[in-house]
Amino acid sequence: MTTAETSMADRLGFTQGQTVREIGHAQDSDADLRQAVEEATGKELVGVGTGGPADAVLLWWRDEDGDLVDGLHEALTDLCEDGTVWLLTPRTGRVGHVEPSDIAECAATAGLVRTGSVRAAVDWQGTELRTPRARRSGRGA
């Protein structure tokens, strides 16, 4: 693993001790990014329904994976109140690319807001999603 891959996990905000749930992992998922996240947190990635509450979720999503709103709802299951969903989608021009407008619409429908975006790996774009701040602090809807 290179320093660049490790720093990518840092730029995604992963820190030592966090529990990270992974959804949608497949052969095309970036192995180096996965390993970088495990090294940054000091823990293996956990699957759905394991490991208790998660501090963050890596949601690998391709256009053909179905209803993104359903996928985002699954990502919210057992996510800590101030947790982050990293929606990882194929970059523009790659098979399975998801349009940013679709991501924005589905995130809003799922009750999430986009708080950032990064090139997560060679073939993957990362979109950071969170619950609205008012909802996390107990105020508002």
Side-chain angles (χ1 to χ4, degrees):
M1 167 138 25
T2 68
T3 302
E5 290 155 350
T6 301
S7 66
M8 178 51 70
D10 293 338
R11 281 186 284 171
L12 292 174
F14 293 106
T15 58
Q16 193 68 26
Q18 285 184 307
T19 298
V20 180
R21 180 166 292 118
E22 181 178 44
I23 301 170
H25 171 259
Q27 279 186 310
D28 64 345
S29 300
D30 190 272
D32 291 333
L33 177 60
R34 297 177 74 244
Q35 183 179 355
V37 171
E38 288 181 340
E39 288 183 10
T41 62
K43 293 182 173 184
E44 290 185 17
L45 299 172
V46 298
V48 175
T50 60
D55 299 297
V57 172
L58 291 181
L59 176 58
W60 302 92
W61 197 267
R62 303 135 198 99
D63 186 50
E64 64 274 4
D65 284 347
D67 186 349
L68 180 53
V69 174
D70 289 343
L72 292 170
H73 282 170
E74 181 179 5
L76 292 172
T77 302
D78 294 330
L79 182 66
C80 292
E81 186 174 303
D82 60 347
T84 301
V85 174
W86 276 103
L87 175 62
L88 302 168
T89 56
R91 296 187 60 223
T92 302
R94 308 301 201 276
V95 173
H97 172 70
V98 180
E99 290 296 326
S101 59
D102 292 338
I103 292 171
E105 181 180 333
C106 291
T109 300
L112 296 166
V113 294
R114 179 183 169 271
T115 55
S117 183
V118 297
R119 180 177 175 176
V122 173
D123 293 323
W124 294 88
Q125 179 70 27
T127 303
E128 182 181 27
L129 303 169
R130 293 179 171 264
T131 56
R133 195 173 294 276
R135 187 175 301 160
R136 286 183 292 182
S137 64
R139 297 184 311 271

